Amino acid sequence: MPLLLWLFLLVILPHVDLLLVSLRERISYGKYEFSLINYTEFFVEPLYWNTYVRTAVMSIMATVLTLLIGFPVSYYIAKVMRGKGKNVLFLLCLIPFWVSELVRTFGWMILLRESGVISNFLQWAGIADGPVEMLYNDATIMVGLVYTSMLFMVVPLVSVLDSLDDSLIEAGYDLGGNAFTVTRDIVIPHAMPGIASGCIVVFMLTLGNYLTPNLLGGKDSLWFTEQIYTQFITRFNWESGSAFGFLLLVLSSMIVWIGLKLSRQTLSETVS
């Protein structure tokens, strides 16, 4: 019963209300009628659906990059390191997340701005003639998204790789396999539930991220959560904001479903 109440009150009910608000149009103060105008405006205005598609593509790219970086790190922690060194490496991955995302993003801004640490080092080393501005572009946004999501990829991968019997890897090499074939035929299939779980979490967090794209990308970052914020907070248009929020929910659910189908995993396997 507590679980059902939690799901109904904090998950199902808010989303139902979000959908109902998105399907109405304000006629006058306190008066509304059923309408699809909020969804129509989304598809009519190129800025909205271009930002929608851009957010999805960049979120997928950030998820793939996080996996490519996080998998070797996770494998090294789980299967190569032993004893205290293993715990130390895992702790080093965990320490940055002891502070808020806002503080971590400000840290990247201090490093990458034109008067920041990296720019000053490049000038001191004679590599750059003047200040170098590395903020407010897609590459910087990608760096911030990968960094803020890395732990959520590493944790499930380390957990699932820990359960892989070392004798299976040794048998793969004894039977003539190399690093590539052993990874492809033994390690990755065993780690697939962790890969799917990590990718789902990272993708959802990246798609719904607001601070990192806004701070590192500047006013031209064009992230869909900023459009939702603008509708709710700046324009006080809760109807359009609800429609945009529901469209983001549909997008995330659809891509997660496609990802599960492609990886041949089920949702129950990724959360078990």
Side-chain angles (χ1 to χ4, degrees):
M1 183 58 69
L3 176 61
L4 291 176
L5 286 174
W6 182 84
L7 289 172
F8 179 75
L9 295 176
L10 299 181
V11 179
I12 297 176
L13 189 61
H15 284 92
V16 171
D17 186 60
L18 189 76
L19 177 61
L20 294 177
V21 173
S22 70
L23 292 173
R24 70 185 190 186
E25 179 184 4
R26 180 182 297 179
I27 304 303
S28 61
Y29 181 77
K31 293 184 180 181
Y32 303 91
E33 66 177 21
F34 176 83
S35 175
L36 295 175
I37 189 173
N38 301 306
Y39 293 95
T40 303
E41 288 180 352
F42 169 80
F43 290 104
V44 170
E45 176 54 58
L47 175 64
Y48 293 152
W49 53 264
N50 282 335
T51 305
Y52 187 75
V53 173
R54 166 188 160 85
T55 302
V57 171
M58 289 195 65
S59 296
I60 294 173
M61 291 175 58
T63 303
V64 172
L65 286 174
T66 306
L67 175 62
L68 293 177
I69 297 172
F71 191 89
V73 172
S74 303
Y75 184 85
Y76 191 82
I77 293 174
K79 308 309 294 181
V80 178
M81 292 299 297
R82 294 291 186 269
K84 292 183 179 179
K86 180 176 182 177
N87 296 329
V88 170
L89 281 180
F90 193 78
L91 182 63
L92 289 176
C93 294
L94 183 63
I95 285 177
F97 292 83
W98 289 358
V99 298
S100 69
E101 180 184 353
L102 180 62
V103 174
R104 284 181 275 129
T105 305
F106 276 136
W108 278 108
M109 295 180 71
I110 293 172
L111 287 174
L112 299 176
R113 64 186 180 184
E114 61 181 356
S115 59
V117 176
I118 296 179
S119 177
N120 288 331
F121 173 77
L122 293 176
Q123 295 175 72
W124 174 81
I127 300 175
D129 297 329
V132 180
E133 179 64 85
M134 287 175 280
L135 290 175
Y136 314 127
N137 56 67
D138 290 346
T140 303
I141 295 175
M142 194 63 63
V143 169
L145 292 174
V146 171
Y147 174 73
T148 56
S149 306
M150 184 59 64
L151 180 66
F152 302 99
M153 183 67 75
V154 170
V155 169
L157 286 176
V158 169
S159 299
V160 74
L161 288 172
D162 263 334
S163 64
L164 176 61
D165 194 340
D166 292 340
S167 63
L168 293 176
I169 299 177
E170 295 171 2
Y173 284 107
D174 292 341
L175 293 172
N178 53 38
F180 174 76
T181 56
V182 168
T183 301
R184 182 193 63 192
D185 298 332
I186 298 175
V187 178
I188 291 180
H190 181 86
M192 191 55 69
I195 293 174
S197 176
C199 287
I200 288 174
V201 174
V202 170
F203 174 75
M204 298 289 281
L205 291 174
T206 302
L207 189 71
N209 199 312
Y210 174 77
L211 283 175
T212 300
N214 189 39
L215 293 177
L216 296 182
K219 63 181 181 179
D220 297 325
S221 62
L222 295 179
W223 207 257
F224 197 65
T225 50
E226 296 179 27
Q227 299 293 339
I228 298 175
Y229 177 89
T230 299
Q231 296 297 328
F232 275 111
I233 306 302
T234 305
R235 299 180 58 186
F236 297 101
N237 190 342
W238 284 49
E239 290 73 32
S240 290
S242 298
F244 289 4
F246 195 78
L247 287 168
L248 191 66
L249 173 65
V250 171
L251 174 67
S252 61
S253 301
M254 180 180 65
I255 293 180
V256 167
W257 180 79
I258 293 173
L260 289 174
K261 290 298 182 182
L262 292 176
S263 63
R264 298 180 181 178
Q265 298 293 307
T266 63
L267 192 60
S268 59
E269 289 175 337
T270 61
V271 299
S272 61

